[in-house]
Coordinates of all heavy atoms in Angstrom, one line a residue:
M1 N 0.9 -1.2 0.0 CA 0.0 0.1 0.0 C 0.9 1.3 0.0 O 1.9 1.2 0.5 CB -0.8 0.0 1.2 CG -2.0 -1.0 1.2 SD -3.3 -0.4 0.1 CE -4.7 -1.3 0.5
G2 N 0.2 2.2 -0.5 CA 1.1 3.6 -0.5 C 0.9 4.3 0.9 O 0.3 3.8 1.8
K3 N 1.4 5.5 0.9 CA 1.4 6.2 2.1 C 0.0 6.7 2.4 O -0.8 7.0 1.4 CB 2.4 7.4 2.2 CG 1.9 8.7 1.3 CD 3.0 9.7 1.5 CE 2.5 10.9 0.8 NZ 1.9 11.9 1.6
P4 N -0.5 6.9 3.6 CA -1.8 7.4 3.9 C -1.9 8.8 3.5 O -1.0 9.6 3.5 CB -2.0 7.2 5.4 CG -0.9 6.2 5.8 CD 0.2 6.4 4.8
L5 N -3.1 9.2 3.1 CA -3.4 10.6 2.7 C -3.9 11.4 3.9 O -4.7 10.8 4.7 CB -4.4 10.6 1.6 CG -4.1 10.0 0.3 CD1 -5.3 10.1 -0.7 CD2 -2.9 10.7 -0.4
T6 N -3.7 12.6 3.9 CA -4.3 13.5 4.9 C -5.8 13.8 4.4 O -6.0 13.5 3.2 CB -3.6 14.8 5.1 OG1 -3.6 15.5 3.9 CG2 -2.1 14.6 5.6
A7 N -6.5 14.3 5.2 CA -7.9 14.6 4.7 C -7.8 15.7 3.6 O -8.6 15.5 2.6 CB -8.8 15.2 5.9
E8 N -7.0 16.7 3.7 CA -6.9 17.7 2.7 C -6.3 17.0 1.3 O -6.8 17.5 0.3 CB -6.0 18.8 3.1 CG -6.7 19.7 4.2 CD -8.0 20.4 3.8 OE1 -8.2 20.7 2.5 OE2 -8.8 20.6 4.7
E9 N -5.4 16.1 1.4 CA -4.9 15.5 0.2 C -6.1 14.6 -0.4 O -6.1 14.6 -1.6 CB -3.7 14.5 0.6 CG -2.5 15.3 1.0 CD -1.4 14.4 1.5 OE1 -1.6 13.4 2.2 OE2 -0.2 14.8 1.3
A10 N -6.9 14.0 0.4 CA -7.9 13.2 -0.1 C -9.0 14.1 -0.8 O -9.4 13.8 -1.9 CB -8.6 12.4 1.0
K11 N -9.3 15.3 -0.2 CA -10.1 16.3 -0.9 C -9.5 16.7 -2.2 O -10.2 16.8 -3.2 CB -10.4 17.3 0.1 CG -11.4 18.4 -0.5 CD -11.8 19.5 0.4 CE -12.7 20.4 -0.3 NZ -13.0 21.6 0.5
G12 N -8.2 17.0 -2.2 CA -7.6 17.5 -3.4 C -7.5 16.5 -4.5 O -7.6 16.8 -5.7
A13 N -7.6 15.2 -4.1 CA -7.5 14.2 -5.1 C -8.9 13.8 -5.5 O -9.1 12.9 -6.4 CB -6.8 12.9 -4.5
G14 N -10.0 14.4 -4.9 CA -11.3 14.0 -5.3 C -11.9 12.8 -4.7 O -12.9 12.4 -5.2
I15 N -11.2 12.3 -3.7 CA -11.7 11.1 -3.1 C -12.8 11.4 -2.1 O -13.8 10.7 -1.9 CB -10.5 10.4 -2.3 CG1 -9.4 10.0 -3.3 CG2 -11.0 9.3 -1.4 CD1 -8.1 9.5 -2.7
V16 N -12.7 12.6 -1.5 CA -13.8 13.1 -0.6 C -14.2 14.5 -1.1 O -13.5 15.1 -1.8 CB -13.4 13.2 0.9 CG1 -13.1 11.7 1.4 CG2 -12.3 14.0 1.2
N17 N -15.4 14.9 -0.8 CA -15.8 16.2 -1.3 C -15.8 17.3 -0.2 O -16.1 18.4 -0.6 CB -17.2 16.2 -2.0 CG -18.3 15.6 -1.1 OD1 -18.1 15.6 0.1 ND2 -19.4 15.2 -1.7
Q18 N -15.6 16.9 1.0 CA -15.6 17.9 2.0 C -14.8 17.3 3.2 O -14.8 16.2 3.5 CB -17.1 18.1 2.5 CG -17.2 19.3 3.5 CD -18.6 19.7 3.6 OE1 -19.6 18.9 3.3 NE2 -18.9 20.8 4.2
V19 N -14.1 18.3 3.9 CA -13.4 18.1 5.1 C -14.0 18.8 6.3 O -14.2 20.0 6.0 CB -11.9 18.3 5.0 CG1 -11.1 18.0 6.2 CG2 -11.3 17.4 3.9
V20 N -14.3 18.2 7.3 CA -14.8 18.9 8.5 C -14.0 18.6 9.7 O -13.4 17.6 9.8 CB -16.3 18.5 8.8 CG1 -17.2 18.9 7.7 CG2 -16.4 17.1 9.1
P21 N -14.0 19.6 10.7 CA -13.2 19.3 11.9 C -13.7 18.0 12.6 O -15.0 17.8 12.7 CB -13.4 20.5 12.7 CG -13.8 21.6 11.7 CD -14.6 20.9 10.6
A22 N -12.8 17.3 13.3 CA -13.2 16.1 13.9 C -14.3 16.4 15.0 O -15.3 15.5 15.1 CB -12.1 15.5 14.7
A23 N -14.3 17.5 15.6 CA -15.4 17.8 16.6 C -16.8 18.0 16.0 O -17.8 17.7 16.7 CB -14.9 19.1 17.4
D24 N -16.7 18.3 14.8 CA -18.1 18.6 14.1 C -18.6 17.3 13.2 O -19.6 17.4 12.6 CB -18.0 19.8 13.1 CG -17.6 21.0 13.9 OD1 -17.9 21.1 15.0 OD2 -17.1 22.0 13.2
L25 N -17.8 16.3 13.1 CA -18.0 15.2 12.3 C -19.3 14.5 12.5 O -20.1 14.3 11.6 CB -16.9 14.2 12.3 CG -17.0 13.0 11.4 CD1 -17.0 13.5 10.0 CD2 -15.8 12.1 11.6
D26 N -19.6 14.2 13.8 CA -20.9 13.4 14.0 C -22.1 14.3 13.6 O -23.0 13.8 12.9 CB -21.0 13.1 15.5 CG -20.1 11.9 15.9 OD1 -19.6 11.2 15.0 OD2 -19.9 11.8 17.1
A27 N -22.1 15.6 14.0 CA -23.3 16.4 13.6 C -23.3 16.6 12.1 O -24.4 16.6 11.6 CB -23.1 17.8 14.3
H28 N -22.2 16.8 11.5 CA -22.3 17.0 10.0 C -22.7 15.7 9.3 O -23.5 15.7 8.4 CB -20.8 17.3 9.5 CG -20.7 17.5 8.1 ND1 -21.3 18.6 7.4 CD2 -20.3 16.7 7.0 CE1 -21.1 18.6 6.1 NE2 -20.5 17.4 5.9
A29 N -22.3 14.6 9.7 CA -22.7 13.3 9.2 C -24.2 13.1 9.3 O -24.9 12.6 8.4 CB -21.9 12.1 9.8
L30 N -24.8 13.4 10.5 CA -26.1 13.3 10.7 C -27.0 14.3 9.8 O -28.0 13.9 9.2 CB -26.4 13.7 12.2 CG -27.9 13.4 12.7 CD1 -28.3 12.0 12.3 CD2 -28.0 13.7 14.1
N31 N -26.4 15.5 9.6 CA -27.1 16.4 8.6 C -27.1 15.9 7.2 O -28.1 16.0 6.6 CB -26.4 17.7 8.8 CG -26.8 18.5 10.0 OD1 -27.9 18.3 10.6 ND2 -25.9 19.4 10.5
V32 N -25.9 15.3 6.8 CA -25.9 14.8 5.5 C -26.9 13.6 5.4 O -27.6 13.5 4.4 CB -24.5 14.4 5.1 CG1 -24.4 13.6 3.8 CG2 -23.6 15.6 5.0
A33 N -27.0 12.8 6.4 CA -27.9 11.6 6.3 C -29.3 12.1 6.3 O -30.1 11.5 5.6 CB -27.7 10.8 7.6
R34 N -29.6 13.2 7.0 CA -31.0 13.7 7.0 C -31.3 14.2 5.6 O -32.4 14.0 5.1 CB -31.1 14.8 8.1 CG -31.3 14.3 9.5 CD -31.6 15.4 10.4 NE -31.6 14.9 11.8 CZ -31.0 15.4 12.8 NH1 -30.2 16.4 12.7 NH2 -31.1 14.8 14.0
D35 N -30.3 14.9 5.0 CA -30.5 15.5 3.7 C -30.8 14.4 2.7 O -31.7 14.4 1.8 CB -29.3 16.3 3.2 CG -29.2 17.6 4.0 OD1 -30.1 18.0 4.6 OD2 -28.1 18.2 3.8
I36 N -30.1 13.3 2.7 CA -30.2 12.1 1.9 C -31.5 11.4 2.1 O -32.4 11.1 1.2 CB -29.1 11.1 2.0 CG1 -27.9 11.8 1.4 CG2 -29.4 9.8 1.3 CD1 -26.5 11.0 1.8
A37 N -31.9 11.3 3.4 CA -33.3 10.7 3.7 C -34.4 11.5 3.3 O -35.5 10.9 3.0 CB -33.3 10.5 5.3
A38 N -34.2 12.8 3.1 CA -35.4 13.6 2.6 C -35.5 13.5 1.2 O -36.6 14.0 0.6 CB -35.1 15.1 3.0
L39 N -34.6 12.9 0.4 CA -34.7 12.8 -1.1 C -35.7 11.6 -1.4 O -35.9 10.7 -0.6 CB -33.3 12.5 -1.7 CG -32.4 13.6 -1.4 CD1 -30.9 13.2 -1.9 CD2 -32.7 14.9 -2.2
P40 N -36.1 11.6 -2.7 CA -37.1 10.5 -3.0 C -36.3 9.2 -2.9 O -35.2 9.0 -3.5 CB -37.3 10.8 -4.5 CG -37.2 12.3 -4.6 CD -36.1 12.6 -3.7
P41 N -36.8 8.2 -2.2 CA -36.0 6.9 -1.9 C -35.6 6.3 -3.2 O -34.5 5.6 -3.3 CB -36.9 6.1 -1.1 CG -38.1 7.0 -0.8 CD -38.1 8.2 -1.5
E42 N -36.5 6.2 -4.2 CA -36.2 5.4 -5.5 C -35.0 6.1 -6.2 O -34.2 5.4 -6.7 CB -37.4 5.3 -6.3 CG -38.4 4.3 -5.7 CD -39.7 4.2 -6.6 OE1 -39.5 4.5 -7.8 OE2 -40.7 3.7 -6.1
S43 N -34.9 7.4 -6.1 CA -33.9 8.2 -6.8 C -32.6 7.9 -6.1 O -31.5 7.7 -6.7 CB -34.2 9.7 -6.8 OG -35.3 9.9 -7.6
V44 N -32.6 7.8 -4.7 CA -31.3 7.6 -4.0 C -30.9 6.1 -4.3 O -29.7 6.0 -4.5 CB -31.6 7.7 -2.4 CG1 -30.4 7.3 -1.6 CG2 -31.9 9.2 -2.2
T45 N -31.8 5.2 -4.3 CA -31.4 3.8 -4.7 C -30.8 3.7 -6.0 O -29.8 3.1 -6.2 CB -32.6 2.9 -4.5 OG1 -33.2 3.0 -3.2 CG2 -32.3 1.4 -4.9
A46 N -31.4 4.4 -7.0 CA -30.9 4.4 -8.3 C -29.5 5.0 -8.4 O -28.6 4.5 -9.1 CB -31.9 5.0 -9.3
A47 N -29.3 6.1 -7.8 CA -28.0 6.8 -7.7 C -27.0 5.9 -7.1 O -25.8 5.7 -7.6 CB -28.1 8.1 -7.0
R48 N -27.3 5.3 -6.0 CA -26.3 4.4 -5.4 C -26.0 3.2 -6.2 O -24.8 2.8 -6.3 CB -26.9 3.9 -4.0 CG -27.0 5.0 -2.9 CD -27.3 4.5 -1.6 NE -26.3 3.7 -1.2 CZ -26.4 2.7 -0.3 NH1 -27.5 2.4 0.3 NH2 -25.3 2.0 0.1
R49 N -27.0 2.6 -6.9 CA -26.7 1.5 -7.9 C -25.8 2.0 -8.9 O -24.8 1.2 -9.3 CB -28.0 1.1 -8.4 CG -27.9 -0.3 -9.2 CD -29.3 -0.8 -9.7 NE -30.2 -1.0 -8.5 CZ -31.4 -0.2 -8.5 NH1 -31.7 0.6 -9.4 NH2 -32.2 -0.4 -7.5
L50 N -25.9 3.1 -9.4 CA -25.0 3.7 -10.5 C -23.6 4.0 -10.0 O -22.7 3.9 -10.8 CB -25.6 4.9 -11.1 CG -26.9 4.7 -11.9 CD1 -27.5 6.1 -12.2 CD2 -26.6 3.9 -13.2
M51 N -23.4 4.1 -8.7 CA -22.1 4.5 -8.3 C -21.3 3.2 -7.8 O -20.2 3.3 -7.5 CB -22.2 5.4 -7.0 CG -22.6 6.8 -7.4 SD -22.7 7.9 -5.9 CE -24.1 7.4 -5.0
R52 N -21.9 2.0 -7.9 CA -21.2 0.8 -7.7 C -20.3 0.3 -8.9 O -20.7 0.6 -10.0 CB -22.2 -0.3 -7.3 CG -22.9 -0.1 -6.0 CD -23.7 -1.3 -5.6 NE -24.3 -1.0 -4.3 CZ -25.6 -1.0 -4.2 NH1 -26.4 -1.3 -5.2 NH2 -26.1 -0.7 -3.0
G53 N -19.2 -0.2 -8.6 CA -18.4 -0.7 -9.6 C -17.0 0.0 -9.7 O -16.7 0.8 -8.8
S54 N -16.2 -0.3 -10.6 CA -14.8 0.2 -10.7 C -15.0 1.6 -11.2 O -16.1 2.1 -11.7 CB -13.9 -0.6 -11.6 OG -14.5 -0.4 -13.0
V55 N -13.9 2.4 -11.1 CA -13.9 3.8 -11.6 C -14.2 3.8 -13.0 O -15.0 4.5 -13.6 CB -12.5 4.4 -11.3 CG1 -12.5 5.8 -12.0 CG2 -12.3 4.7 -9.8
E56 N -13.6 2.8 -13.8 CA -13.8 2.7 -15.2 C -15.3 2.5 -15.6 O -15.9 3.1 -16.5 CB -13.0 1.6 -15.8 CG -11.5 1.9 -15.8 CD -10.8 1.5 -14.4 OE1 -11.5 0.9 -13.6 OE2 -9.7 2.0 -14.2
E57 N -16.0 1.6 -14.8 CA -17.4 1.3 -15.0 C -18.2 2.6 -14.8 O -19.2 2.9 -15.5 CB -17.9 0.2 -14.1 CG -17.3 -1.2 -14.5 CD -17.5 -2.2 -13.5 OE1 -17.6 -1.9 -12.2 OE2 -17.7 -3.4 -13.9
I58 N -17.9 3.3 -13.6 CA -18.6 4.6 -13.3 C -18.5 5.6 -14.4 O -19.4 6.2 -14.9 CB -18.3 5.0 -11.9 CG1 -18.7 3.9 -10.9 CG2 -18.9 6.4 -11.6 CD1 -18.1 4.3 -9.5
V59 N -17.2 5.8 -14.8 CA -16.9 6.7 -15.9 C -17.7 6.3 -17.2 O -18.2 7.2 -17.9 CB -15.4 6.9 -16.1 CG1 -15.1 7.7 -17.4 CG2 -14.8 7.4 -14.9
A60 N -17.7 5.1 -17.5 CA -18.5 4.6 -18.7 C -20.0 5.0 -18.6 O -20.6 5.4 -19.5 CB -18.3 3.2 -18.9
R61 N -20.5 4.8 -17.4 CA -21.9 5.2 -17.1 C -22.1 6.6 -17.3 O -23.1 7.1 -17.8 CB -22.4 4.7 -15.8 CG -22.7 3.2 -15.7 CD -23.4 2.9 -14.3 NE -23.0 1.7 -13.8 CZ -22.0 1.4 -13.0 NH1 -21.3 2.4 -12.5 NH2 -21.7 0.2 -12.6
I62 N -21.2 7.5 -16.8 CA -21.3 8.9 -16.8 C -21.3 9.3 -18.3 O -22.1 10.2 -18.8 CB -20.2 9.6 -16.0 CG1 -20.6 9.4 -14.5 CG2 -20.1 11.1 -16.3 CD1 -19.3 9.8 -13.6
D63 N -20.3 8.8 -19.0 CA -20.3 9.0 -20.5 C -21.5 8.7 -21.3 O -22.0 9.4 -22.1 CB -19.1 8.3 -21.1 CG -17.7 8.9 -20.6 OD1 -17.7 10.0 -20.2 OD2 -16.7 8.2 -20.8
A64 N -22.1 7.4 -20.9 CA -23.3 7.0 -21.6 C -24.5 7.9 -21.3 O -25.3 8.4 -22.1 CB -23.7 5.6 -21.2
E65 N -24.5 8.4 -20.0 CA -25.5 9.4 -19.5 C -25.4 10.6 -20.3 O -26.4 11.2 -20.8 CB -25.5 9.6 -18.0 CG -26.5 10.6 -17.6 CD -26.4 10.9 -16.1 OE1 -25.4 10.5 -15.5 OE2 -27.3 11.6 -15.6
A66 N -24.1 11.1 -20.4 CA -23.9 12.5 -21.2 C -24.4 12.4 -22.6 O -25.0 13.2 -23.2 CB -22.5 12.9 -21.0
D67 N -24.0 11.1 -23.2 CA -24.5 11.0 -24.6 C -26.0 11.0 -24.8 O -26.5 11.5 -25.7 CB -23.8 9.7 -25.2 CG -22.3 9.6 -25.4 OD1 -21.8 10.8 -25.4 OD2 -21.7 8.6 -25.4
A68 N -26.7 10.3 -23.9 CA -28.1 10.2 -23.9 C -28.7 11.6 -23.7 O -29.6 11.9 -24.3 CB -28.5 9.2 -22.8
F69 N -28.1 12.3 -22.8 CA -28.7 13.7 -22.5 C -28.5 14.6 -23.7 O -29.4 15.3 -24.1 CB -27.9 14.2 -21.2 CG -28.4 15.6 -20.8 CD1 -29.6 15.7 -20.1 CD2 -27.6 16.7 -21.0 CE1 -30.1 16.9 -19.7 CE2 -28.2 18.0 -20.5 CZ -29.3 18.0 -19.8
K70 N -27.3 14.5 -24.3 CA -27.1 15.3 -25.6 C -28.1 14.9 -26.6 O -28.7 15.8 -27.3 CB -25.7 15.1 -26.1 CG -24.6 15.8 -25.3 CD -23.3 15.7 -26.0 CE -22.3 15.1 -25.0 NZ -21.1 14.8 -25.6
A71 N -28.4 13.7 -26.8 CA -29.3 13.2 -27.8 C -30.6 13.7 -27.5 O -31.5 14.2 -28.3 CB -29.2 11.7 -27.9
R72 N -31.1 13.7 -26.2 CA -32.4 14.1 -25.8 C -32.5 15.7 -26.0 O -33.5 16.2 -26.4 CB -32.7 13.9 -24.3 CG -32.8 12.4 -24.1 CD -34.0 11.7 -24.9 NE -35.2 12.4 -24.8 CZ -36.1 12.5 -25.8 NH1 -35.8 12.0 -27.0 NH2 -37.1 13.2 -25.7
L73 N -31.5 16.4 -25.7 CA -31.5 17.9 -25.9 C -31.7 18.3 -27.4 O -32.3 19.3 -27.7 CB -30.2 18.5 -25.4 CG -30.1 18.7 -24.0 CD1 -28.7 19.4 -23.6 CD2 -31.2 19.6 -23.4
A74 N -31.2 17.4 -28.3 CA -31.4 17.6 -29.7 C -32.7 17.2 -30.3 O -33.0 17.6 -31.4 CB -30.2 17.0 -30.5
S75 N -33.5 16.6 -29.4 CA -34.8 16.1 -29.9 C -35.9 17.2 -30.1 O -35.8 18.2 -29.4 CB -35.5 15.1 -28.9 OG -35.8 15.7 -27.8
P76 N -36.8 17.1 -31.0 CA -37.8 18.0 -31.2 C -38.5 18.3 -29.9 O -38.9 19.5 -29.6 CB -38.7 17.4 -32.3 CG -37.8 16.5 -33.1 CD -36.9 16.0 -32.0
E77 N -38.8 17.2 -29.1 CA -39.6 17.5 -27.9 C -38.8 18.4 -26.9 O -39.4 19.3 -26.4 CB -39.7 16.1 -27.2 CG -40.4 16.1 -25.9 CD -40.5 14.7 -25.2 OE1 -39.4 14.0 -25.2 OE2 -41.5 14.3 -24.8
A78 N -37.5 18.2 -26.8 CA -36.7 19.0 -25.9 C -36.7 20.4 -26.5 O -36.7 21.4 -25.7 CB -35.3 18.5 -25.7
Q79 N -36.5 20.6 -27.7 CA -36.4 21.9 -28.4 C -37.7 22.7 -28.1 O -37.6 23.8 -27.7 CB -36.1 21.8 -29.9 CG -34.8 21.2 -30.2 CD -33.6 22.0 -29.7 OE1 -33.7 23.3 -29.9 NE2 -32.7 21.5 -29.0
K80 N -38.8 22.0 -28.3 CA -40.1 22.6 -28.0 C -40.2 23.1 -26.6 O -40.7 24.2 -26.3 CB -41.2 21.8 -28.4 CG -42.6 22.4 -28.2 CD -43.8 21.4 -28.6 CE -45.1 22.0 -28.4 NZ -46.2 21.1 -28.7
A81 N -39.8 22.2 -25.6 CA -40.0 22.5 -24.2 C -39.0 23.7 -23.9 O -39.4 24.6 -23.1 CB -39.6 21.3 -23.4
L82 N -37.9 23.7 -24.4 CA -36.9 24.8 -24.2 C -37.5 26.2 -24.7 O -37.4 27.1 -24.0 CB -35.6 24.5 -24.7 CG -34.5 25.6 -24.5 CD1 -34.3 25.8 -23.0 CD2 -33.2 25.1 -25.2
A83 N -38.0 26.1 -26.0 CA -38.6 27.3 -26.5 C -39.8 27.9 -25.7 O -39.9 29.0 -25.5 CB -39.0 27.0 -28.0
T84 N -40.6 26.9 -25.2 CA -41.7 27.3 -24.4 C -41.2 27.9 -23.1 O -41.7 29.0 -22.7 CB -42.6 26.1 -24.1 OG1 -43.1 25.6 -25.3 CG2 -43.7 26.5 -23.2
F85 N -40.3 27.3 -22.5 CA -39.7 27.9 -21.2 C -39.1 29.3 -21.4 O -39.3 30.2 -20.6 CB -38.6 27.0 -20.6 CG -37.9 27.5 -19.4 CD1 -38.5 27.5 -18.2 CD2 -36.6 28.0 -19.5 CE1 -38.0 27.9 -17.1 CE2 -35.9 28.5 -18.4 CZ -36.6 28.5 -17.2
L86 N -38.3 29.4 -22.5 CA -37.7 30.8 -22.8 C -38.7 31.9 -23.2 O -38.3 33.0 -23.1 CB -36.6 30.6 -23.8 CG -35.4 29.7 -23.4 CD1 -34.5 29.5 -24.6 CD2 -34.7 30.3 -22.2
S87 N -39.8 31.4 -23.7 CA -40.8 32.5 -24.1 C -41.7 33.0 -23.0 O -42.4 33.9 -23.2 CB -41.7 31.9 -25.2 OG -42.5 30.9 -24.7
R88 N -41.5 32.4 -21.8 CA -42.3 32.9 -20.6 C -42.0 34.3 -20.3 O -40.8 34.7 -20.4 CB -42.1 32.0 -19.4 CG -42.6 30.6 -19.6 CD -42.4 29.8 -18.3 NE -42.8 28.5 -18.5 CZ -42.5 27.5 -17.6 NH1 -41.9 27.8 -16.5 NH2 -43.0 26.2 -17.8
K89 N -43.0 35.0 -19.9 CA -42.8 36.4 -19.4 C -42.2 36.4 -18.0 O -42.6 35.6 -17.2 CB -44.0 37.2 -19.5 CG -44.5 37.4 -20.9 CD -45.7 38.3 -20.9 CE -46.1 38.5 -22.3 NZ -47.3 39.5 -22.5
R90 N -41.4 37.3 -17.7 CA -40.7 37.3 -16.4 C -41.4 38.3 -15.5 O -41.8 39.3 -15.8 CB -39.2 37.6 -16.5 CG -38.6 36.4 -17.2 CD -37.1 36.7 -17.4 NE -36.6 35.7 -18.3 CZ -35.4 35.4 -18.5 NH1 -34.5 35.9 -17.8 NH2 -35.1 34.5 -19.3

């Protein structure tokens, strides 16, 4: 194994998305858990399922999602929805 990373090194490498002081960790973790629990359960389950696997598998899923999203944006249905949204009065 390599040398252990500090919390800041892990954040810089993208392994973790936030670093909190040890004294605040329990409260922060509970708040994050509450935020996740407030989300639609089926969406959370689907997101967790998509995050399983190797980095390569996850990247492949993200790429496939981006391709599907681009294709949908180019569809007549999406173009009409966007035009309708942009034509709304503010």
Side-chain angles (χ1 to χ4, degrees):
M1 289 283 196
K3 75 174 187 106
L5 298 175
T6 67
E8 289 300 331
E9 289 170 330
K11 184 178 179 192
I15 298 169
V16 299
N17 60 14
Q18 192 171 10
V19 175
V20 297
D24 300 335
L25 183 59
D26 288 343
H28 181 74
L30 188 56
N31 285 333
V32 170
R34 284 184 182 128
D35 290 345
I36 293 169
L39 296 171
E42 290 179 19
S43 296
V44 172
T45 299
R48 290 190 64 208
R49 192 175 304 117
L50 290 170
M51 290 186 283
R52 290 192 181 115
S54 69
V55 171
E56 292 81 14
E57 292 169 326
I58 294 168
V59 169
R61 282 192 216 92
I62 291 169
D63 290 342
E65 179 185 11
D67 291 342
F69 186 70
K70 284 186 238 176
R72 292 303 309 143
L73 282 179
S75 73
E77 178 184 47
Q79 294 295 313
K80 182 179 176 184
L82 181 60
T84 300
F85 176 76
L86 293 176
S87 69
R88 293 182 183 170
K89 293 184 179 182
R90 295 178 193 197

